[in-house]
Amino acid sequence: MGGMKVKGEEFLWRVNYLYQATNKVAETYPSLARHYGYVLTTISEKTPAKLDFTIKRSICKKCHLHLIPGVNAMHRLQRRKFMRGRPTQVRNYFTFGLVLI
C-alpha cells in the first residue's frame, strides 16, 4: 500500500539537496561549493540515471563550481560566422578566464 517507487528516487533527492546547497554557498564559501559540485558529479557518474541538462550546464566541468551569472560567470549570445542559424550561447568564467561554448 506504499507509494509508487521511482527508479533512482534516492539519487534525485541527493542531487536536489546538493544542487541547492551548492547554489546557496557558492558566493560565500566557494571551496565548499566546489566540494558539493564534485560530489554531485561523482554521484551522477555512478548511477544509471542522468542529470538534467540545466544542472550540467550550470556546474563548471573543470573546478565543479556553480556558475552564477553576474557573480562568477557571464552569459552572452554570439553569432556564428560561417553557419547561419541560431546564435550560440557563450559563457565566460571569471575565475579562470575560460570561455565555455
Side-chain angles (χ1 to χ4, degrees):
M1 294 231 181
M4 210 165 106
K5 286 287 184 180
V6 177
K7 185 178 180 182
E9 185 177 5
E10 185 177 340
F11 161 76
L12 294 175
W13 287 342
R14 286 182 184 176
V15 167
N16 185 24
Y17 175 77
L18 287 170
Y19 185 71
Q20 288 179 9
T22 303
N23 195 13
K24 290 275 187 191
V25 301
E27 291 182 43
T28 53
Y29 303 107
S31 60
L32 184 62
R34 283 188 183 109
H35 177 70
Y36 288 159
Y38 177 75
V39 172
L40 191 145
T41 53
T42 53
I43 287 174
S44 67
E45 289 171 357
K46 293 182 179 185
T47 56
K50 301 294 180 189
L51 277 179
D52 188 34
F53 69 93
T54 56
I55 295 175
K56 278 187 179 180
R57 291 180 185 167
S58 67
I59 294 180
C60 177
K61 291 170 181 58
K62 185 174 181 179
C63 72
H64 306 290
L65 185 63
H66 183 70
L67 301 176
I68 302 172
V71 176
N72 60 6
M74 179 181 66
H75 294 259
R76 62 184 171 87
L77 294 176
Q78 182 180 26
R79 284 189 2 202
R80 296 182 182 180
K81 294 180 181 177
F82 300 110
M83 296 187 302
R84 293 186 180 204
R86 294 185 297 175
T88 58
Q89 183 180 14
V90 177
R91 293 172 283 174
N92 289 342
Y93 189 37
F94 294 154
T95 305
F96 297 119
L98 296 175
V99 176
L100 307 171
I101 296 177

